[in-house]
Amino acid sequence: MENKLPAWDDLRVLLEVHRGGSFLAAGLQLGLSTSTVARRIGALEKDLGRALVHRTSQGVWLEKEALELIALAEGFEQSLRAHRRDGGGSSPYAGRIRVSLPDGFLVGAAEAATRFRRLHPETLVEVISELRFVDLSSREADIGVRGGRSSSPVLIDKPLGDVVTGLYASAEYLARALPKRFLGADDYREQDFVVEDETPRGQGPSQWLIQRGACRFPFRSNSMEARLHAAKGGMGLVMLGVGAEQEHLGLIRVRLETPLPSLRFYLTMHKDLRKVPRIREFAATFEAVFAEYLAAQAEAEAPPRSKRPRARVR
């Protein structure tokens, strides 16, 4: 007798048991009693002809076959969410767009959403900034902004451009620790820096500072907002995209003997989404907003133009 194919309702229960670590937690998440959760798991095990979940006093542990089913259930769950975002209404722009990006890009994403919805009010935009970037290949989000190219064959990357970065600090910190407001090659080891959280394999912008001798990091955070708040409070120098300081009064740019490397960013999406009108056009809108920012950066970095002498009127 062939085993039955598992039902999605039962797979969903198994998924929540795995996530919650117990039948009780799964039941609370799904609005089911513990006995109903146990009955669903039992029906799943009966259909497949094997044990999947073992209950212990410390919770549950799952067989290898159960973990394989959970991976399938997670993929199906993401597909369902993506399908809900893609569907709805007679307009090709009706539906949701989910955007994942670093928190330093939140203002730009909000501006792109504002411009886009003036033309397409039937589109709903969700912008998420997370410590863990979502998986674009499984459609956890539709569009992502990343600091490097993806390795997945189902994703496409389009370069947005290079962001010029600088070091900034409060007037109080500069008066106390760097009155000349100039950072020479030998000055890094004597300064405090506010940086992102440590990353694996020695990656991240803070590594540039370490290579130049920086060793004092009184505050670390994956939140740009938290880093800027700390820098405004006088905790040290913070790295920021040139031009963005106009939105953060109280931060003063420091002159550098050796400029910091620029950061290249990419717009990333699933290749199947290029034909979805609202995804394609929102991506173009975001690119336009980003291009305006880069143009403002270039203008801020350009040397002042020499003024032509005016002809004297006799």
Side-chain angles (χ1 to χ4, degrees), residues 221-232:
S221 175
N222 282 329
S223 167
M224 172 67 77
E225 182 180 359
R227 295 198 299 272
L228 293 175
H229 186 82
K232 292 175 183 178

Side-chain angles (χ1 to χ4, degrees), residues 46-77:
K46 182 178 180 181
D47 288 343
L48 296 174
R50 70 193 73 173
L52 299 173
V53 181
H54 302 277
R55 301 174 72 177
T56 70
S57 58
Q58 287 77 37
V60 298
W61 67 272
L62 282 68
E63 296 283 356
K64 178 182 177 182
E65 292 82 356
L67 297 177
E68 293 173 350
L69 288 173
I70 287 167
L72 292 174
E74 288 177 330
F76 185 60
E77 183 182 59

Side-chain angles (χ1 to χ4, degrees), residues 100-277:
S100 166
L101 34 63
D103 60 356
F105 290 82
L106 291 176
V107 173
E111 174 61 24
T114 300
R115 297 183 189 183
F116 188 83
R117 292 197 75 251
R118 288 190 187 124
L119 299 175
H120 307 292
E122 65 271 38
T123 303
L124 303 178
V125 182
E126 297 177 354
V127 176
I128 52 175
S129 174
E130 300 179 313
L131 301 183
R132 176 193 70 87
F133 280 134
V134 301
D135 186 358
L136 294 169
S137 61
S138 64
R139 296 288 308 279
E140 288 185 340
D142 303 308
I143 298 173
V145 175
R146 302 290 184 260
R149 289 188 178 276
S150 61
S151 58
S152 172
V154 302
L155 298 179
I156 55 175
D157 304 297
K158 184 174 183 180
L160 285 170
D162 296 343
V163 174
V164 178
T165 58
L167 289 175
Y168 296 80
S170 68
E172 182 272 329
Y173 176 85
L174 294 175
R176 169 169 47 87
L178 196 64
K180 59 184 179 179
R181 298 187 180 184
F182 174 80
L183 205 60
D186 298 326
D187 296 332
Y188 286 80
R189 64 177 59 89
E190 303 298 330
Q191 299 298 318
D192 294 330
F193 294 92
V194 174
V195 296
E196 80 283 0
D197 194 14
E198 291 183 283
T199 55
R201 299 184 299 280
Q203 300 174 347
S206 65
Q207 295 304 311
W208 300 333
L209 302 175
I210 294 173
Q211 291 167 7
R212 296 180 184 192
C215 57
R216 291 162 43 174
F217 304 102
F219 186 83
R220 287 181 177 270
S221 175
N222 282 329
S223 167
M224 172 67 77
E225 182 180 359
R227 295 198 299 272
L228 293 175
H229 186 82
K232 292 175 183 178
M235 291 190 69
L237 294 151
V238 67
M239 190 179 299
L240 183 65
V242 172
E245 72 274 12
Q246 298 176 7
E247 302 170 10
H248 305 285
L249 299 180
L251 290 178
I252 301 169
R253 188 178 179 186
V254 174
R255 292 180 295 115
L256 303 176
E257 181 176 346
T258 305
L260 295 174
S262 57
L263 300 173
R264 176 163 293 182
F265 289 94
Y266 297 85
L267 188 75
T268 304
M269 70 173 70
H270 198 287
K271 63 182 181 181
D272 292 343
L273 296 179
R274 289 175 294 181
K275 299 179 180 179
V276 179

Side-chain angles (χ1 to χ4, degrees), residues 23-45:
F23 283 24
L24 175 62
L28 291 174
Q29 180 64 30
L30 296 171
L32 303 174
S33 66
T34 303
S35 60
T36 300
V37 171
R39 187 166 61 253
R40 289 281 188 85
I41 294 298
L44 183 61
E45 291 176 328

